[in-house]
Amino acid sequence: MPKTDTILSAKSLRYFLQLIDTMNYTQAAQILGITQPALTQQVKKLEHAIGAPLFGQMGKKLYLTEAGKEMESAAVELLNTINGVVSDIQEYTQADKGHISIGILNTLQVDIFYRFLRYFNQKYPDVTFTVDCYDRKELWRRLDTNMIDMALMYLPDNTKKEETNLRHQYNHQTIYDDRLVVLTHKTTVEAGKSYPVSRFLNRKWVSYPDDFYLTPLMYEYFGKKHKPNIPIKIASTEELIKMSEETDYDTFVTESYYDAHHNAIDLTPVYLDEEHEFHISYVYRKGKLEIPRMQNLLKEWEKFLDKYVNSSRLLEEVKQKEN
């Protein structure tokens, strides 16, 4: 048996790639949950099997050798093949085992979905999850290339220019409706009321970057004849609000974010007339329903959402009676 048969295991390849990510033996070992000597031993076995050093060292810093670069490409390809085979087998066998990858739009406030994941994990502990946040274009790219199983995002979404693709290739369902909230310093408006955008034409704004969902929406409100004056653009919602509070600039966020953080926000929330509706939705390729664990996830999500909505309505009715 060639020595590479016993050395080039999925574990050794995963250790090797983790070390590349950190370029630090101590950090990589901590992430992997092993000792540093154990990691060092695995790397040396790989180098012995290949017959060339994979890492070099300049001072205290590691770097990849030419052999290491070649090995990195091979390791990624081999692990993808192994993971793909395992995933394919799991997809068509059991509903209570396997892995699900979920992408979430980086500006979404989806506390309810994280609650659901906790509930689902307790019920199906052998189904594992990876949850990452991306911008809209990256979300669609990962859906199109099957790198994620499901995306949580705002719809409608003009990033996906061909709506026929959305209809024919994907399923989607609304989780809940959302809308834009203006957070203003103006003292001549009343919280929770709607006003024409003309009341805000002379205001300065702290805004999200142009590729975020709400920024083009705000431009639509202003129309072609006007353009919002935006001296500062910030990707973080928390920092965006903080900047607005510390200046005289207004800003805008989603209602879902405001509802979750209103106690910490010292600005007046108002709405704009002629609202542009959008929805927080989950989107997945139609073939995903052939996978038992995905089918089970969506069924459990529907049951959880119905229970959550009914509980929220009951709580609201109790509050109204108390008032």
Side-chain angles (χ1 to χ4, degrees):
M1 178 185 292
K3 59 185 178 180
T4 52
D5 290 351
T6 58
I7 299 302
L8 295 180
S9 64
K11 180 176 74 172
S12 65
L13 295 175
R14 184 164 58 88
Y15 286 5
F16 169 64
L17 291 176
Q18 184 60 64
L19 181 56
I20 291 176
D21 283 344
T22 61
M23 283 299 181
N24 183 291
Y25 276 93
T26 302
Q27 291 180 13
Q30 288 175 346
I31 293 171
L32 292 166
I34 61 174
T35 63
Q36 183 175 333
L39 176 59
T40 303
Q41 184 182 36
Q42 286 292 329
V43 173
K44 287 188 178 300
K45 284 182 178 180
L46 273 176
E47 291 178 331
H48 180 69
I50 294 165
L54 298 173
F55 294 91
Q57 192 162 344
M58 183 176 294
K60 293 183 178 181
K61 292 185 177 181
L62 290 179
Y63 66 88
L64 271 180
T65 63
E66 290 303 313
K69 292 177 183 178
E70 290 291 329
M71 189 61 198
E72 179 184 16
S73 300
V76 170
E77 186 174 348
L78 285 168
L79 277 180
N80 284 341
T81 300
I82 293 169
N83 292 335
V85 170
V86 172
S87 180
D88 288 343
I89 294 171
Q90 291 174 338
E91 283 178 359
Y92 300 101
T93 54
Q94 297 173 312
D96 59 351
K97 291 183 179 179
H99 186 76
I100 297 174
S101 177
I102 299 173
I104 299 179
L105 185 66
N106 50 15
T107 54
L108 275 189
Q109 184 70 29
V110 285
D111 291 345
I112 183 176
F113 189 75
Y114 287 115
R115 291 183 197 176
F116 165 69
L117 283 187
R118 291 193 289 271
Y119 155 81
F120 188 88
N121 178 251
Q122 291 174 352
K123 193 170 182 179
Y124 301 99
D126 292 327
V127 178
T128 60
F129 289 89
T130 299
V131 182
D132 287 307
C133 295
Y134 307 100
D135 62 27
R136 290 179 293 155
K137 289 184 179 179
E138 183 62 15
L139 267 181
W140 280 117
R141 187 185 75 82
R142 288 177 175 265
L143 277 173
D144 286 339
T145 57
N146 207 30
M147 295 177 68
I148 57 175
D149 298 304
M150 176 192 295
L152 273 68
M153 62 175 68
Y154 289 124
L155 292 180
D157 183 56
N158 59 10
T159 307
K160 198 69 174 173
K161 297 185 183 299
E162 295 185 15
E163 288 301 318
T164 54
N165 286 341
L166 185 60
R167 289 198 303 270
H168 297 308
Q169 297 180 18
Y170 295 94
N171 282 329
H172 60 94
Q173 186 165 334
T174 298
I175 300 175
Y176 55 86
D177 298 330
D178 213 338
R179 56 178 174 167
L180 183 145
V181 177
V182 170
L183 302 177
T184 181
H185 292 272
K186 288 175 70 76
T187 58
T188 56
V189 295
E190 185 178 346
K193 299 294 184 179
S194 295
Y195 297 91
V197 73
S198 58
R199 296 283 295 270
F200 300 91
L201 293 181
N202 296 324
R203 302 294 298 170
K204 292 184 178 180
W205 300 86
V206 182
S207 165
Y208 292 106
D210 290 342
D211 59 344
F212 278 51
Y213 190 85
L214 291 189
T215 307
L217 200 62
M218 179 58 84
Y219 278 97
E220 288 182 25
Y221 276 112
F222 272 71
K224 295 181 179 179
K225 293 183 179 180
H226 304 282
K227 186 177 180 180
N229 185 351
I230 306 175
I232 302 174
K233 297 178 181 178
I234 301 177
S236 163
T237 304
E238 182 180 354
E239 292 301 323
L240 177 142
I241 292 173
K242 184 177 179 181
M243 179 64 69
S244 179
E245 289 176 334
E246 294 178 355
T247 63
D248 188 40
Y249 302 163
D250 292 344
T251 191
F252 48 90
V253 297
T254 61
E255 185 177 52
S256 56
Y257 185 92
Y258 180 78
D259 287 344
H261 301 87
H262 66 275
N263 289 332
I265 298 176
D266 191 24
L267 294 164
T268 303
V270 298
Y271 302 99
L272 296 177
D273 291 344
E274 300 179 4
E275 286 194 67
H276 298 270
E277 294 184 355
F278 55 97
H279 322 279
I280 296 177
S281 304
Y282 59 84
V283 181
Y284 57 94
R285 297 180 73 93
K286 290 185 176 180
K288 290 296 178 182
L289 285 184
E290 298 175 8
I291 303 172
R293 64 177 178 272
M294 283 294 295
Q295 193 175 72
N296 188 39
L297 176 78
L298 296 176
K299 286 181 178 178
E300 290 289 346
W301 167 248
E302 292 300 322
K303 289 191 287 187
F304 177 86
L305 192 59
D306 288 342
K307 183 178 179 181
Y308 178 86
V309 170
N310 290 333
S311 298
S312 300
R313 287 174 180 169
L314 181 61
L315 182 61
E316 188 63 31
E317 289 175 3
V318 170
K319 287 182 178 179
Q320 289 178 356
K321 290 179 180 179
E322 290 177 348
N323 294 334

